[in-house]
Amino acid sequence: MVKKMYYTVELTNHYDQEKGRLTFFESRRDIPFEIKRIYYINSVPQGAIRGHHAHKNLKQMLFCPFGKIRIVLDDGKMKHSVLLDTPTRGLVIGDGIWRTMEFLTDNAVLCVAASDYYDENDYIRDYNEFINYVESGYWKR
Ligand code: T46
């Protein structure tokens, strides 16, 4: 479904000097899955790091409408980081990616569109277990 494991996307937006900016994305057109759930994270103290998990099947798109958040992505072999510091940047993350989210500014907001309902069984919250999944070939790319 999500062929690349993660990538950023520049979201379509309309800016008006007097009225501001409107940004949008649509299932299947701008992101490669149907959205079943939206959630958002706020009131995070500056410097706090959340995440530390991967998903077995879930695909998501992360975006930051306010503030600055660093997302570190780990496929079990290599790590990359992506800065969400503009409301028009989306980060699509496929399954099998260990992620952390570092809130670099106070009051930053992380919004997420997800391909499925919440299911704790889809989470891998132990890093050694994640590496075992990677080495077992669970995610065939
Ligand atoms: C992810 C990153 C980007 C729910 O009950 N329903 C939900 O839809 C979600 C997302 C979470 N929860 C519960 C599970 C935990 O008891 O809320 C609590 C906090 O969740 P968690 O510690 O997993 O939050 P983060 O910020 O570490 O991770 C979240 C998402 O859980 C995760 O899927 O990829 O944001």
Side-chain angles (χ1 to χ4, degrees), residues 6-64:
Y6 52 82
Y7 57 91
T8 55
V9 53
E10 181 63 22
L11 303 173
T12 310
N13 60 91
H14 299 280
Y15 179 68
D16 179 290
Q17 211 165 359
E18 286 167 17
K19 294 194 292 180
R21 189 182 307 281
L22 183 151
T23 304
F24 71 94
F25 57 92
E26 298 177 337
S27 285
R28 299 273 171 210
R29 293 182 172 171
D30 304 297
I31 58 171
F33 54 82
E34 295 292 339
I35 298 166
K36 285 199 179 156
R37 177 168 50 111
I38 303 272
Y39 61 92
Y40 43 89
I41 299 170
N42 66 315
S43 300
V44 181
Q46 183 176 9
I49 303 179
R50 301 183 61 108
H52 302 287
H53 55 251
H55 282 283
K56 294 175 192 162
N57 292 301
L58 191 74
K59 287 86 177 150
Q60 304 195 91
M61 192 178 81
L62 281 57
F63 57 103
C64 172

